[in-house]
Amino acid sequence: MLAKLGLAWLMMMQVSTLALPGYLRSSSMAEDTLITLDWAIYLMNWASLVMTLPVVLYSALPIWRGALAALREGRMGMDVPVALGIVAAFFPSAYATWTQNGHVYFDSVVMFVSFLLTARYLELAARQSCEGLRLPDDIQVRRRMEAQADRIAGLFVTLQISITLVVALVWWRLDPAQVLPISVALLVMSCPCALAMAVPTAMAAGDATVARMGGLGESQLQAYYAQVRRVANQNLYGSLAWHLLALPLAAMGWVAPWLAALSMLLSSLAVVINAWRLSWRSQTATLDTIKAMA
């Protein structure tokens, strides 16, 4: 996972740099400047294509496998919209590079994969931090909360893909040139990464903190895990609100694909930081109690 993540971030930094001239291009520039700039953009697009390929073929392997597994089972997993977003951004960009006509979104592709793998790595690290611990919290409560999060994520993905199709049809009638970037942005935002991380991250932070503190009585444990569950719900519904608020902005074309990928990363980081604050507050409170007793 680290190898895939490292490659994705390395290529993202290079491809994002190569994409900069395309964003700076303006029809108001002098003709000779435009000729030189267009030739540079053409070469950089080919370089971006070459560097994006290993990200799509290697770094994104877990995404392709997850999407295929979900489709075989007849369900809409979180990897399906992610795979659709990569396909919708990469293949038109490769075609535009070959024909020298149209916009490319290689930077959005590598950013999307990099940020998604980062979110998943943070979730994996949170889960591994409490492996082998004896969890004092009610396991049935955990399972219910995780099942609830999975249901919400599944409904969100289905709703987002349906909305993407409707919005694409509307923009096809209004301005066909906007269909691809808006559809890609919506598909990128349909990844429920933060929703999937909401409960496991909070629970892992709580378990790790309990293991470090030690010596808590049954009533203290119950009170603490009630707080952990509140934080898990904050993560879950806060992430859902973030996505729903950004949805109309993306549908109106105000969110570029790369910005949608960044938004996805920020929502995942917010979940991790909120869980970390829970752990930090608990340790601080314990230290304060010890000092008071001394």
Side-chain angles (χ1 to χ4, degrees):
M1 191 174 211
L2 278 175
K4 292 179 173 64
L5 179 60
L7 175 65
W9 271 88
L10 178 62
M11 294 298 103
M12 182 190 73
M13 291 185 287
Q14 306 303 320
V15 174
S16 298
T17 302
L18 294 177
L20 185 59
Y23 290 108
L24 297 178
R25 188 188 187 280
S26 172
S27 56
S28 62
M29 293 178 174
E31 184 177 353
D32 58 339
T33 302
L34 281 176
I35 293 173
T36 304
L37 183 59
D38 286 342
W39 176 246
I41 290 173
Y42 168 71
L43 294 176
M44 291 181 181
N45 285 346
W46 273 106
S48 297
L49 172 59
V50 171
M51 286 188 283
T52 303
L53 269 175
V55 176
V56 172
L57 297 178
Y58 174 67
S59 296
L61 268 178
I63 299 170
W64 303 122
R65 290 170 181 162
L68 289 174
L71 292 175
R72 288 195 196 100
E73 297 172 6
R75 59 184 178 84
M76 188 64 70
M78 66 176 289
D79 285 316
V80 174
V82 174
L84 288 175
I86 294 174
V87 169
F90 178 77
F91 285 100
S93 298
Y95 180 77
T97 301
W98 179 265
T99 60
Q100 302 183 46
N101 182 33
H103 297 285
V104 299
Y105 301 97
F106 295 124
D107 57 332
S108 299
V109 173
V110 292
M111 287 178 69
F112 186 25
V113 175
S114 300
F115 293 161
L116 176 62
L117 293 180
T118 300
R120 291 189 176 182
Y121 182 76
L122 292 173
E123 180 185 2
L124 176 64
R127 289 180 182 274
Q128 288 181 338
S129 68
C130 62
E131 279 187 3
L133 296 178
R134 190 176 176 184
L135 309 180
D137 192 31
D138 187 351
I139 193 65
Q140 296 300 324
V141 175
R142 291 170 181 262
R143 288 175 178 171
R144 283 198 299 270
M145 292 187 69
E146 290 181 354
Q148 180 188 23
D150 290 341
R151 284 194 300 271
I152 292 175
L155 289 173
F156 173 78
V157 168
T158 303
L159 176 64
Q160 185 85 348
I161 292 180
S162 302
I163 291 174
T164 300
L165 293 174
V166 173
V167 170
L169 290 174
V170 171
W171 277 105
W172 183 262
R173 296 180 64 88
L174 297 176
D175 185 1
Q178 297 296 321
V179 172
L180 182 59
I182 291 176
S183 298
V184 171
L186 286 170
L187 287 171
V188 168
M189 292 177 59
S190 67
C191 174
C193 305
L195 294 175
M197 294 172 60
V199 175
T201 305
M203 290 298 179
D207 295 336
T209 302
V210 167
R212 285 193 298 269
M213 290 191 300
L216 295 179
E218 184 63 28
S219 61
Q220 292 174 310
L221 284 174
Q222 290 180 358
Y224 177 68
Y225 274 103
Q227 183 183 5
V228 172
R229 288 190 290 272
R230 283 196 297 272
V231 171
N233 283 323
Q234 289 173 7
N235 288 344
L236 179 61
Y237 293 106
S239 303
L240 182 61
W242 176 283
H243 281 283
L244 293 177
L245 289 173
L247 176 61
L249 300 178
M252 288 186 286
W254 293 351
V255 179
W258 67 267
L259 186 57
L262 181 60
S263 171
M264 181 199 69
L265 175 66
L266 291 176
S267 62
S268 299
L269 289 177
V271 165
V272 174
I273 291 171
N274 195 38
W276 175 82
R277 287 196 316 115
L278 168 69
S279 177
W280 180 80
R281 285 199 308 265
S282 299
Q283 293 182 75
T284 302
T286 301
L287 289 174
D288 290 343
T289 302
I290 294 173
K291 290 179 181 177
M293 293 175 63

